Amino acid sequence: MKETKRKKLHGIRERLLDVYLEEADPENWTNEESAKEEAQELLEAGAKPSEVMKVKTGWKGERYWEKKNANQTMAMLLNIERYLEATGAGGVAGGVEEADDEEIARFEREAKKRLARTRPRLVSGGKK
């Protein structure tokens, strides 16, 4: 991958992360109280009663789409991350340092303990 494209993808990833952090924050989602406030403002501004009722009663649908939008932003982030990792262009995991021998030994001991706990069930066909 060309350096310019890699930099561009990294920039898009950073901007999408900023957008996601804003969208995923429940404080920013529509709730019943904010819908009532918006409906009151519309009423004071002379909006039609039907428009005011749409805002007042449609807040759950709006909230649903806000959550769905945040979810799709994260999906795009994950796809970019996977692509960067697959092409070796330095995803988040690209800068991870290698584990030292002591850490590897600790992971191996932990894996052996877990295998020892599950092995009897595997031998007896899933029954203890």
Side-chain angles (χ1 to χ4, degrees):
M1 174 186 306
K2 292 184 179 178
E3 183 67 19
T4 55
K5 288 182 181 180
R6 186 187 63 77
K7 283 182 181 180
K8 189 170 185 174
L9 273 175
H10 280 278
I12 290 170
R13 181 181 65 183
E14 288 301 313
R15 291 193 310 269
L16 279 173
L17 182 57
D18 291 339
V19 170
Y20 174 76
L21 291 173
E22 185 71 24
E23 289 174 348
D25 187 356
E27 293 292 320
N28 297 329
W29 295 343
T30 301
N31 57 36
E32 188 173 16
E33 185 180 317
S34 66
K36 285 180 180 178
E37 289 172 5
E38 186 180 345
Q40 185 62 36
E41 289 172 8
L42 285 172
L43 194 60
E44 291 171 1
K48 294 178 183 178
S50 61
E51 292 176 17
V52 173
M53 283 309 290
K54 269 186 192 176
V55 170
K56 207 172 189 179
T57 59
W59 68 271
K60 287 183 181 178
E62 183 67 29
R63 186 178 177 111
Y64 171 81
W65 284 106
E66 290 167 346
K67 291 177 186 180
K68 195 170 184 77
N69 195 39
N71 190 40
Q72 290 304 307
T73 301
M74 177 51 74
M76 286 182 5
L77 269 166
L78 290 173
N79 285 334
I80 288 173
E81 190 63 33
R82 285 184 195 120
Y83 179 78
L84 288 172
E85 286 178 14
T87 59
V92 171
V96 175
E97 297 178 18
E98 289 189 28
D100 60 2
D101 292 337
E102 191 175 306
E103 194 172 18
I104 291 170
R106 184 173 54 85
F107 287 135
E108 286 176 348
R109 285 191 303 271
E110 191 175 319
K112 285 178 185 176
K113 286 179 190 175
R114 289 182 183 184
L115 281 172
R117 285 192 301 243
T118 60
R119 194 168 283 137
R121 285 183 277 184
L122 294 174
V123 171
S124 63
K127 298 177 186 175
K128 267 194 164 177

